[in-house]
Amino acid sequence: MSVSYSAIGWNRAKKAYDKVIVTGLLVYLAFFIGVSLLAHPDATIETLLIRALATAAFLMLHVILSIGPLCRLNPSFLPLLYNRRHLGVTMFLTALAHAVFAIVQFHAQGNENPLVSLLTTGTGFQTLGAAALVIFFLMAATSHDFWLANLGPRVWKTLHMGVYFAYALIVMHVALGALHSEAHPVLAIATGAGMAWLFTLHVVAALRERAGDRDDELIDDGWIDAGPVVDISEGRARIVSAGERIAVFRYDGKISAVSNVCRHQYGPLGEGRVIDGCITCPWHGYQYLPGNGRSPAPFTEKVATYDVRVVGGRAYVHSKANAPGTPVKPAHA
Ligand code: HEM
Ligand code: FES
Protein backbone atom coordinates (compact mmCIF):
# COMPACT_ATOMS: atom_id res chain seq x y z
CA MET A 1 0.00 0.00 0.00
CA SER A 2 1.29 3.44 -0.80
CA VAL A 3 0.35 7.07 -0.98
CA SER A 4 1.28 6.92 -4.66
CA TYR A 5 -1.72 6.31 -6.90
CA SER A 6 -2.66 2.71 -7.52
CA ALA A 7 -5.88 1.44 -9.09
CA ILE A 8 -8.61 0.58 -6.62
CA GLY A 9 -8.76 -3.04 -5.52
CA TRP A 10 -12.26 -4.42 -5.12
CA ASN A 11 -12.14 -7.08 -2.48
CA ARG A 12 -14.97 -9.14 -1.00
CA ALA A 13 -15.20 -7.04 2.16
CA LYS A 14 -15.58 -3.80 0.15
CA LYS A 15 -18.30 -5.33 -2.02
CA ALA A 16 -20.14 -6.56 1.09
CA TYR A 17 -19.97 -3.06 2.66
CA ASP A 18 -21.28 -1.49 -0.53
CA LYS A 19 -24.20 -3.93 -0.62
CA VAL A 20 -25.05 -3.09 3.00
CA ILE A 21 -24.91 0.67 2.24
CA VAL A 22 -27.12 0.46 -0.87
CA THR A 23 -29.61 -1.99 0.71
CA GLY A 24 -29.77 0.10 3.90
CA LEU A 25 -30.45 3.24 1.84
CA LEU A 26 -33.23 1.61 -0.22
CA VAL A 27 -34.88 0.09 2.89
CA TYR A 28 -34.73 3.49 4.64
CA LEU A 29 -36.27 5.32 1.65
CA ALA A 30 -39.10 2.76 1.37
CA PHE A 31 -39.71 2.86 5.14
CA PHE A 32 -39.72 6.69 5.28
CA ILE A 33 -42.09 7.02 2.31
CA GLY A 34 -44.39 4.26 3.65
CA VAL A 35 -44.68 5.76 7.14
CA SER A 36 -45.10 9.31 5.74
CA LEU A 37 -47.91 8.11 3.46
CA LEU A 38 -49.71 6.58 6.46
CA ALA A 39 -49.43 9.89 8.34
CA HIS A 40 -50.14 12.14 5.30
CA PRO A 41 -52.04 10.11 2.68
CA ASP A 42 -52.40 13.20 0.45
CA ALA A 43 -48.66 14.03 0.29
CA THR A 44 -47.21 14.10 -3.25
CA ILE A 45 -44.49 11.62 -4.21
CA GLU A 46 -42.14 14.54 -5.07
CA THR A 47 -42.38 15.95 -1.54
CA LEU A 48 -41.93 12.51 -0.01
CA LEU A 49 -38.85 11.82 -2.15
CA ILE A 50 -37.33 15.22 -1.31
CA ARG A 51 -37.75 14.51 2.39
CA ALA A 52 -36.77 10.84 2.31
CA LEU A 53 -33.55 11.57 0.39
CA ALA A 54 -32.77 14.58 2.61
CA THR A 55 -33.14 12.71 5.89
CA ALA A 56 -31.26 9.67 4.50
CA ALA A 57 -28.30 11.89 3.54
CA PHE A 58 -28.41 13.68 6.91
CA LEU A 59 -28.45 10.33 8.73
CA MET A 60 -25.50 9.06 6.68
CA LEU A 61 -23.63 12.27 7.52
CA HIS A 62 -24.08 11.47 11.21
CA VAL A 63 -22.74 7.94 10.69
CA ILE A 64 -19.73 9.32 8.76
CA LEU A 65 -18.93 11.84 11.50
CA SER A 66 -19.28 9.16 14.20
CA ILE A 67 -16.86 6.67 12.68
CA GLY A 68 -13.63 8.57 13.55
CA PRO A 69 -14.28 8.98 17.30
CA LEU A 70 -15.84 5.50 17.57
CA CYS A 71 -12.62 4.00 16.20
CA ARG A 72 -10.60 5.98 18.74
CA LEU A 73 -12.76 4.53 21.51
CA ASN A 74 -13.04 0.96 20.22
CA PRO A 75 -10.88 -0.58 17.47
CA SER A 76 -13.64 -3.01 16.49
CA PHE A 77 -15.17 -0.12 14.50
CA LEU A 78 -12.05 0.08 12.27
CA PRO A 79 -13.61 -1.89 9.35
CA LEU A 80 -16.16 0.96 9.04
CA LEU A 81 -13.36 3.50 8.74
CA TYR A 82 -11.72 1.45 6.01
CA ASN A 83 -14.85 1.87 3.89
CA ARG A 84 -15.85 5.40 4.90
CA ARG A 85 -15.03 6.78 1.44
CA HIS A 86 -17.84 4.80 -0.20
CA LEU A 87 -20.30 5.93 2.46
CA GLY A 88 -19.23 9.54 1.82
CA VAL A 89 -19.76 9.26 -1.94
CA THR A 90 -23.18 7.59 -1.40
CA MET A 91 -24.13 10.39 1.00
CA PHE A 92 -23.16 13.02 -1.58
CA LEU A 93 -25.17 11.30 -4.35
CA THR A 94 -28.21 11.02 -2.04
CA ALA A 95 -27.94 14.71 -1.05
CA LEU A 96 -27.52 15.59 -4.74
CA ALA A 97 -30.71 13.69 -5.63
CA HIS A 98 -32.53 15.58 -2.83
CA ALA A 99 -31.23 18.91 -4.16
CA VAL A 100 -32.15 18.12 -7.79
CA PHE A 101 -35.73 17.13 -6.82
CA ALA A 102 -36.02 20.26 -4.65
CA ILE A 103 -34.72 22.54 -7.43
CA VAL A 104 -37.11 20.97 -9.96
CA GLN A 105 -40.02 21.27 -7.51
CA PHE A 106 -39.38 24.82 -6.29
CA HIS A 107 -37.34 26.57 -8.99
CA ALA A 108 -38.02 25.03 -12.38
CA GLN A 109 -41.63 26.12 -12.87
CA GLY A 110 -41.00 29.75 -13.91
CA ASN A 111 -39.10 31.40 -16.76
CA GLU A 112 -35.95 31.98 -14.74
CA ASN A 113 -32.93 29.66 -14.84
CA PRO A 114 -33.52 27.26 -11.87
CA LEU A 115 -30.01 27.84 -10.45
CA VAL A 116 -30.42 31.64 -10.65
CA SER A 117 -33.81 31.24 -8.98
CA LEU A 118 -32.22 29.07 -6.25
CA LEU A 119 -29.67 31.75 -5.43
CA THR A 120 -31.96 34.78 -5.72
CA THR A 121 -35.45 33.97 -4.48
CA GLY A 122 -34.63 34.80 -0.89
CA THR A 123 -35.00 31.24 0.44
CA GLY A 124 -31.66 31.55 2.26
CA PHE A 125 -31.89 28.12 3.83
CA GLN A 126 -31.65 26.52 0.39
CA THR A 127 -28.47 28.48 -0.37
CA LEU A 128 -26.97 27.00 2.82
CA GLY A 129 -27.86 23.52 1.54
CA ALA A 130 -26.28 24.36 -1.82
CA ALA A 131 -23.04 25.52 -0.12
CA ALA A 132 -22.87 22.25 1.85
CA LEU A 133 -23.50 20.30 -1.34
CA VAL A 134 -20.51 22.00 -3.01
CA ILE A 135 -18.30 20.94 -0.07
CA PHE A 136 -19.60 17.36 -0.25
CA PHE A 137 -18.94 17.37 -3.99
CA LEU A 138 -15.32 18.51 -3.50
CA MET A 139 -14.82 15.84 -0.86
CA ALA A 140 -16.40 13.07 -2.94
CA ALA A 141 -14.50 14.13 -6.06
CA THR A 142 -11.14 14.14 -4.25
CA SER A 143 -11.79 11.14 -2.02
CA HIS A 144 -9.69 8.72 -4.04
CA ASP A 145 -6.03 8.13 -3.13
CA PHE A 146 -5.10 9.53 -6.56
CA TRP A 147 -6.04 12.99 -5.21
CA LEU A 148 -4.44 12.34 -1.84
CA ALA A 149 -1.19 11.67 -3.69
CA ASN A 150 -1.49 14.80 -5.85
CA LEU A 151 -2.73 17.27 -3.23
CA GLY A 152 -0.51 15.92 -0.44
CA PRO A 153 -1.84 14.57 2.89
CA ARG A 154 -1.95 18.00 4.61
CA VAL A 155 -4.03 19.84 1.98
CA TRP A 156 -6.23 16.77 1.50
CA LYS A 157 -6.89 16.42 5.22
CA THR A 158 -7.68 20.15 5.58
CA LEU A 159 -10.13 19.94 2.67
CA HIS A 160 -11.82 16.90 4.20
CA MET A 161 -12.10 18.58 7.60
CA GLY A 162 -14.54 20.89 5.76
CA VAL A 163 -17.12 18.18 6.49
CA TYR A 164 -17.66 19.75 9.93
CA PHE A 165 -18.40 23.14 8.34
CA ALA A 166 -20.77 21.43 5.90
CA TYR A 167 -22.50 19.70 8.84
CA ALA A 168 -23.04 23.11 10.50
CA LEU A 169 -24.46 24.46 7.21
CA ILE A 170 -26.91 21.53 7.01
CA VAL A 171 -28.04 22.02 10.61
CA MET A 172 -28.82 25.67 9.71
CA HIS A 173 -30.44 24.53 6.43
CA VAL A 174 -32.79 22.30 8.44
CA ALA A 175 -33.34 24.80 11.26
CA LEU A 176 -34.18 27.72 8.97
CA GLY A 177 -36.08 25.66 6.42
CA ALA A 178 -37.93 22.50 7.30
CA LEU A 179 -38.07 23.12 11.06
CA HIS A 180 -39.62 26.50 10.42
CA SER A 181 -42.52 25.02 8.50
CA GLU A 182 -42.64 21.60 10.19
CA ALA A 183 -45.45 21.25 12.72
CA HIS A 184 -44.37 17.75 13.81
CA PRO A 185 -41.54 17.84 16.37
CA VAL A 186 -39.82 14.62 15.23
CA LEU A 187 -37.35 16.36 12.88
CA ALA A 188 -36.41 18.92 15.56
CA ILE A 189 -35.92 16.19 18.17
CA ALA A 190 -33.88 14.03 15.79
CA THR A 191 -31.67 16.97 14.75
CA GLY A 192 -31.06 17.96 18.41
CA ALA A 193 -30.33 14.35 19.39
CA GLY A 194 -27.93 14.03 16.44
CA MET A 195 -26.02 17.15 17.48
CA ALA A 196 -25.85 16.01 21.12
CA TRP A 197 -24.62 12.55 20.04
CA LEU A 198 -21.87 13.91 17.79
CA PHE A 199 -20.77 16.50 20.34
CA THR A 200 -20.59 13.97 23.20
CA LEU A 201 -18.82 11.36 21.09
CA HIS A 202 -16.14 13.82 19.92
CA VAL A 203 -15.58 15.20 23.43
CA VAL A 204 -15.28 11.71 24.99
CA ALA A 205 -12.86 10.55 22.26
CA ALA A 206 -10.77 13.74 22.61
CA LEU A 207 -10.62 13.38 26.42
CA ARG A 208 -9.56 9.75 26.10
CA GLU A 209 -6.84 10.73 23.65
CA ARG A 210 -5.71 13.65 25.81
CA ALA A 211 -5.42 11.32 28.85
CA GLY A 212 -3.02 9.11 26.89
CA ASP A 213 -1.13 12.20 25.70
CA ARG A 214 0.27 13.39 29.00
CA ASP A 215 3.98 13.64 28.21
CA ASP A 216 5.84 10.59 29.48
CA GLU A 217 8.64 11.30 31.87
CA LEU A 218 12.07 12.06 30.44
CA ILE A 219 14.52 9.92 32.38
CA ASP A 220 17.77 11.58 31.40
CA ASP A 221 19.31 13.16 28.34
CA GLY A 222 16.03 12.97 26.41
CA TRP A 223 15.33 9.25 27.00
CA ILE A 224 11.75 8.23 27.82
CA ASP A 225 10.80 5.11 29.80
CA ALA A 226 8.40 3.04 27.65
CA GLY A 227 7.88 0.48 30.43
CA PRO A 228 8.69 -3.23 30.78
CA VAL A 229 9.30 -4.96 27.47
CA VAL A 230 7.07 -7.88 28.57
CA ASP A 231 4.12 -5.47 28.82
CA ILE A 232 4.25 -4.89 25.05
CA SER A 233 2.56 -7.80 23.24
CA GLU A 234 4.42 -9.48 20.41
CA GLY A 235 3.85 -7.55 17.14
CA ARG A 236 2.19 -4.65 18.98
CA ALA A 237 3.28 -1.26 20.28
CA ARG A 238 3.11 0.95 23.30
CA ILE A 239 2.48 4.61 22.41
CA VAL A 240 4.53 7.12 24.40
CA SER A 241 4.31 10.86 24.17
CA ALA A 242 7.02 13.51 24.07
CA GLY A 243 5.16 16.34 22.36
CA GLU A 244 4.90 13.96 19.38
CA ARG A 245 3.45 10.48 19.79
CA ILE A 246 5.92 7.64 19.34
CA ALA A 247 4.99 3.99 18.70
CA VAL A 248 7.41 1.56 20.38
CA PHE A 249 7.02 -1.86 18.73
CA ARG A 250 8.09 -5.29 19.99
CA TYR A 251 8.55 -7.93 17.30
CA ASP A 252 10.76 -10.99 16.73
CA GLY A 253 12.75 -10.38 19.93
CA LYS A 254 13.44 -6.75 18.97
CA ILE A 255 12.29 -3.25 19.90
CA SER A 256 11.99 -0.39 17.37
CA ALA A 257 10.26 2.97 17.54
CA VAL A 258 8.69 5.09 14.82
CA SER A 259 6.40 8.13 14.64
CA ASN A 260 2.83 7.19 15.53
CA VAL A 261 1.51 9.13 12.52
CA CYS A 262 0.88 7.29 9.25
CA ARG A 263 1.81 9.17 6.05
CA HIS A 264 -1.48 8.27 4.37
CA GLN A 265 -4.23 9.98 6.38
CA TYR A 266 -2.41 10.35 9.70
CA GLY A 267 -3.74 7.07 11.14
CA PRO A 268 -2.32 5.82 14.51
CA LEU A 269 0.48 3.39 13.58
CA GLY A 270 0.93 2.36 17.23
CA GLU A 271 -2.56 0.86 17.17
CA GLY A 272 -1.55 -1.35 14.24
CA ARG A 273 0.37 -4.62 14.16
CA VAL A 274 3.57 -5.99 12.67
CA ILE A 275 2.42 -8.13 9.74
CA ASP A 276 4.93 -9.89 7.46
CA GLY A 277 7.71 -7.96 9.17
CA CYS A 278 6.08 -4.56 8.51
CA ILE A 279 4.29 -2.16 10.84
CA THR A 280 0.81 -2.12 9.31
CA CYS A 281 -1.47 0.90 9.78
CA PRO A 282 -4.82 -0.10 11.29
CA TRP A 283 -6.74 2.35 9.09
CA HIS A 284 -5.99 1.34 5.49
CA GLY A 285 -3.02 -1.01 5.74
CA TYR A 286 -0.04 1.15 4.69
CA GLN A 287 3.18 -0.58 5.76
CA TYR A 288 6.56 0.52 7.13
CA LEU A 289 9.69 -1.42 8.07
CA PRO A 290 10.27 -1.06 11.83
CA GLY A 291 14.04 -0.68 11.47
CA ASN A 292 14.00 2.35 9.14
CA GLY A 293 10.40 3.63 8.94
CA ARG A 294 10.32 3.13 5.15
CA SER A 295 7.54 1.49 3.16
CA PRO A 296 8.80 -1.68 1.45
CA ALA A 297 9.70 -1.25 -2.25
CA PRO A 298 8.25 -0.21 -4.64
CA PHE A 299 6.55 2.23 -2.23
CA THR A 300 8.32 5.36 -1.05
CA GLU A 301 6.64 6.64 2.14
CA LYS A 302 8.83 7.29 5.17
CA VAL A 303 8.07 8.03 8.81
CA ALA A 304 10.45 9.34 11.48
CA THR A 305 12.38 6.77 13.52
CA TYR A 306 13.62 7.02 17.11
CA ASP A 307 16.66 5.62 18.91
CA VAL A 308 15.82 2.79 21.31
CA ARG A 309 17.52 0.80 24.06
CA VAL A 310 16.55 -1.88 26.58
CA VAL A 311 18.00 -1.71 30.07
CA GLY A 312 17.01 -4.09 32.88
CA GLY A 313 14.02 -5.41 30.92
CA ARG A 314 12.61 -1.90 30.27
CA ALA A 315 12.39 -0.26 26.87
CA TYR A 316 13.61 3.32 26.47
CA VAL A 317 13.08 5.58 23.48
CA HIS A 318 14.86 8.84 22.72
CA SER A 319 12.49 11.79 22.39
CA LYS A 320 14.37 13.35 19.43
CA ALA A 321 13.05 12.17 16.07
CA ASN A 322 15.47 11.02 13.39
CA ALA A 323 14.77 12.20 9.85
CA PRO A 324 12.02 10.08 8.22
CA GLY A 325 13.45 6.83 6.86
CA THR A 326 16.65 6.91 8.99
CA PRO A 327 17.78 3.34 9.84
CA VAL A 328 18.04 2.67 13.60
CA LYS A 329 19.49 -0.51 15.07
CA PRO A 330 16.67 -2.32 16.94
CA ALA A 331 17.28 -3.07 20.64
CA HIS A 332 17.19 -6.69 21.87
CA ALA A 333 13.89 -7.27 23.67
C1 HEM B 1 -28.94 22.87 -3.71
C2 HEM B 1 -29.01 22.24 -2.56
C3 HEM B 1 -30.26 22.02 -1.74
C4 HEM B 1 -31.55 22.47 -1.93
C5 HEM B 1 -32.10 23.35 -3.03
C6 HEM B 1 -32.34 21.97 -0.83
C7 HEM B 1 -33.71 22.20 -0.65
C8 HEM B 1 -34.44 21.78 0.40
C9 HEM B 1 -35.84 22.09 0.62
C10 HEM B 1 -36.70 22.91 -0.32
C11 HEM B 1 -36.20 21.51 1.79
C12 HEM B 1 -37.56 21.59 2.46
C13 HEM B 1 -38.36 20.36 2.15
C14 HEM B 1 -39.67 20.37 2.89
O1 HEM B 1 -39.81 21.07 3.88
O2 HEM B 1 -40.55 19.62 2.44
C15 HEM B 1 -35.05 20.84 2.34
C16 HEM B 1 -35.04 20.14 3.51
C17 HEM B 1 -33.96 19.39 3.96
N1 HEM B 1 -32.71 19.29 3.37
FE1 HEM B 1 -32.14 20.23 1.68
N2 HEM B 1 -31.54 21.19 -0.03
C18 HEM B 1 -30.28 21.21 -0.54
C19 HEM B 1 -29.15 20.55 -0.03
C20 HEM B 1 -29.19 19.71 1.05
C21 HEM B 1 -28.06 18.92 1.47
C22 HEM B 1 -26.67 18.90 0.84
C23 HEM B 1 -28.46 18.20 2.55
C24 HEM B 1 -27.55 17.24 3.27
C25 HEM B 1 -27.89 16.25 3.95
C26 HEM B 1 -29.85 18.55 2.81
C27 HEM B 1 -30.63 18.06 3.86
C28 HEM B 1 -31.95 18.44 4.13
C29 HEM B 1 -32.72 17.95 5.24
C30 HEM B 1 -32.25 16.96 6.32
C31 HEM B 1 -33.99 18.54 5.15
C32 HEM B 1 -35.19 18.33 6.07
C33 HEM B 1 -36.03 17.21 5.48
C34 HEM B 1 -37.46 17.17 5.97
O3 HEM B 1 -38.18 18.15 5.77
O4 HEM B 1 -37.87 16.13 6.49
N3 HEM B 1 -30.25 19.47 1.88
N4 HEM B 1 -34.00 21.01 1.48
S1 FES C 1 -3.15 3.61 5.94
FE1 FES C 1 -4.54 5.23 5.85
S2 FES C 1 -4.01 6.35 7.57
FE2 FES C 1 -2.59 4.78 7.58
Side-chain angles (χ1 to χ4, degrees):
M1 287 282 230
S2 158
V3 91
S4 321
Y5 170 67
S6 60
I8 188 162
W10 292 96
N11 58 35
R12 266 185 40 218
K14 272 190 185 169
K15 284 185 184 160
Y17 283 131
D18 290 349
K19 271 192 198 142
V20 170
I21 294 172
V22 173
T23 313
L25 175 62
L26 294 177
V27 168
Y28 175 85
L29 294 177
F31 176 79
F32 184 98
I33 291 175
V35 170
S36 303
L37 271 178
L38 287 179
H40 309 282
D42 48 349
T44 66
I45 187 66
E46 292 88 346
T47 302
L48 291 178
L49 269 176
I50 289 173
R51 296 188 138 193
L53 290 163
T55 51
F58 200 29
L59 200 61
M60 277 191 261
L61 184 57
H62 281 81
V63 175
I64 290 166
L65 292 175
S66 301
I67 290 174
L70 282 175
C71 289
R72 312 289 321 153
L73 294 170
N74 186 339
S76 42
F77 287 102
L78 279 168
L80 289 178
L81 190 131
Y82 184 66
N83 205 49
R84 189 164 50 172
R85 192 172 84 80
H86 291 198
L87 193 56
V89 173
T90 312
M91 187 272 291
F92 162 69
L93 292 174
T94 310
L96 179 67
H98 156 71
V100 168
F101 276 113
I103 290 171
V104 169
Q105 172 103 327
F106 297 107
H107 300 280
Q109 317 298 338
N111 296 329
E112 208 167 16
N113 178 317
L115 289 178
V116 175
S117 163
L118 167 68
L119 298 173
T120 55
T121 48
T123 44
F125 84 97
Q126 295 192 35
T127 321
L128 294 171
L133 194 63
V134 170
I135 296 176
F136 294 146
F137 167 72
L138 290 174
M139 289 175 54
T142 60
S143 63
H144 198 275
D145 274 1
F146 170 83
W147 286 101
L148 179 63
N150 282 285
L151 295 172
R154 199 172 294 274
V155 173
W156 189 91
K157 192 85 185 176
T158 308
L159 175 68
H160 284 247
M161 279 303 176
V163 70
Y164 287 98
F165 181 57
Y167 171 73
L169 290 174
I170 295 300
V171 169
M172 288 192 280
H173 174 67
V174 175
L176 297 175
L179 289 187
H180 231 61
S181 54
E182 179 73 67
H184 204 285
V186 70
L187 184 60
I189 294 169
T191 305
M195 283 170 72
W197 159 257
L198 287 178
F199 180 77
T200 311
L201 196 61
H202 280 75
V203 168
V204 171
L207 288 177
R208 172 80 71 87
E209 202 152 284
R210 178 97 66 84
D213 253 5
R214 259 178 280 117
D215 276 5
D216 286 273
E217 217 175 311
L218 293 178
I219 296 300
D220 75 289
D221 232 7
W223 288 92
I224 306 168
D225 185 356
V229 168
V230 289
D231 285 359
I232 308 175
S233 312
E234 173 62 25
R236 297 278 184 176
R238 169 157 187 236
I239 300 169
V240 297
S241 183
E244 301 293 324
R245 284 182 215 154
I246 307 168
V248 183
F249 275 92
R250 177 181 174 194
Y251 59 102
D252 300 335
K254 292 180 262 187
I255 296 283
S256 288
V258 298
S259 159
N260 190 48
V261 183
C262 178
R263 289 295 302 147
H264 180 218
Q265 289 175 19
Y266 305 147
L269 287 180
E271 292 171 28
R273 281 188 298 143
V274 176
I275 300 175
D276 297 334
C278 291
I279 294 169
T280 306
C281 179
W283 282 11
H284 315 92
Y286 276 40
Q287 293 192 307
Y288 306 88
L289 292 161
N292 60 15
R294 291 170 186 253
S295 293
F299 305 120
T300 53
E301 287 71 44
K302 294 178 218 160
V303 289
T305 54
Y306 292 81
D307 293 348
V308 282
R309 66 187 189 194
V310 172
V311 181
R314 298 184 81 84
Y316 294 86
V317 57
H318 201 279
S319 55
K320 188 168 172 297
N322 297 308
T326 306
V328 170
K329 199 167 174 289
H332 285 291

